[in-house]
């Protein structure tokens, strides 16, 4: 594929604007349509990016003829549209969470396997510069054998119908990143509280990894994104430690017995690396490279299913008061 890739965006909301921004602005893609539910809102979004508004997915497919569709819908409304598209054999990039129900996730993956569709999910935290550098350091053995990994991430509530919206919609990044850095999670034990507004807005989860390492996830909707240190990731090994502050802010690498640390922070003119939104641009770069070359996506939709499996295991652990095994699906 050497010509420009025709991309349509399904979703006219806030994060959908980031999808539209990227595909309208790249030199190798054409944004050929935006699909939304509201005529007025969709028209405004399409006008913003000089493309065509649609309120019907099938009409968009017929008229715009996209090569790739990027889906960004409200968190608990992903399944029906995604299934419709994947059963039609449409190549997709979808937002997290994949869905809230494991049976629905399995139906989506089975339909994509049957149709042969390219099916990627946006776990964009992986592409933040501190995570890229931390992953490289771990793979190079700078940290030695990993011993424990910690994810702490809290902000304001994104209230949904599910009592486990925080765990499934937001902390899916934590599950994905901890496995990305530390390998498969073997089991989980969870505590949760619904003391503030009825949903399980704060969760604390103990993890074991197949490698023998242990870990923790502390995720909250009872916090604030305005607080410094809203996100903290720590990876400790036998030879050193990596600490990531606020996804894109800072990476600190330390080695055992050495009081001198190595710190990465974006420089004065490096606005791209300090921008959270740019982590999505970085992911899209890899998605399009794989799509052009006919390769599997860099982060397949199956990663969304895996994060959901881990979330459901945490729910089962909390409800039973027991540790729950989380074997990696074959």
């Amino acid at each position: 594929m050497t010509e420009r890739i025709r991309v349509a965006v399904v979703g006219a909301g806030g994060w959908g604007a980031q999808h539209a921004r990227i595909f309208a602005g790249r030199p190798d893609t054409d944004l050929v349509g935006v699909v939304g539910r509201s005529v007025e809102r969709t028209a405004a979004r399409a006008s913003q990016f000089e493309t065509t508004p649609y309120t019907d997915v099938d009409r968009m497919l017929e008229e715009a003829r996209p090569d790739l569709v990027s889906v960004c819908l409200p968190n608990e409304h992903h399944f029906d549209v995604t299934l419709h598209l994947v059963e039609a054999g449409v190549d997709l990039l979808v937002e997290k969470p994949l869905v809230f129900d494991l049976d629905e996730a399995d139906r989506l993956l089975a339909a994509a396997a049957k149709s042969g569709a390219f099916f990627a999910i946006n776990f964009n935290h992986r592409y933040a510069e501190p995570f890229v550098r931390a992953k490289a350091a771990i793979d190079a053995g700078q940290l030695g054998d990993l011993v424990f990994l910690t994810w702490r991430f809290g902000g304001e509530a994104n209230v949904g119908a599910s009592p486990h919206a925080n765990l499934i919609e937001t902390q899916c990044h934590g599950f994905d990143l901890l496995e990305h850095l530390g390998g498969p999670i073997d089991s989980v034990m969870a505590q949760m509280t619904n003391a503030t507004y009825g949903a399980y807005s704060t969760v604390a989860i103990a993890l074991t990894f197949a490698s023998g390492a242990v870990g923790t996830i502390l995720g909250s909707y009872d916090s604030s994104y305005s607080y410094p240190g809203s996100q903290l990731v720590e990876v400790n090994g036998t030879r050193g430690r990596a600490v990531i502050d606020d996804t894109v802010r800072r990476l600190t690498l330390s080695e055992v017995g050495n009081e001198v640390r190595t710190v990465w922070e974006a420089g004065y003119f490096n606005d791209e690396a300090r921008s959270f939104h740019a982590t999505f641009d970085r992911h899209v770069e890899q998605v399009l490279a794989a799509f052009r070359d006919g390769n599997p996506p860099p982060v397949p939709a199956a990663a969304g299913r895996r994060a959901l499996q881990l979330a459901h295991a945490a729910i089962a652990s909390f409800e039973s008061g027991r540790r729950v095994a989380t074997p990696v699906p074959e």
Side-chain angles (χ1 to χ4, degrees), residues 19-43:
H19 289 239
R21 170 189 63 80
I22 291 173
F23 294 114
R26 290 182 60 94
D28 58 349
T29 58
D30 289 320
L31 180 65
V32 296
V34 172
V35 183
R37 293 173 294 179
S38 161
V39 172
E40 294 78 12
R41 188 175 188 179
T42 306

Side-chain angles (χ1 to χ4, degrees), residues 22 41 122 141 207 253 266 275 304 321:
I22 291 173
R41 188 175 188 179
N122 182 33
L207 315 168
L253 292 172
S275 167

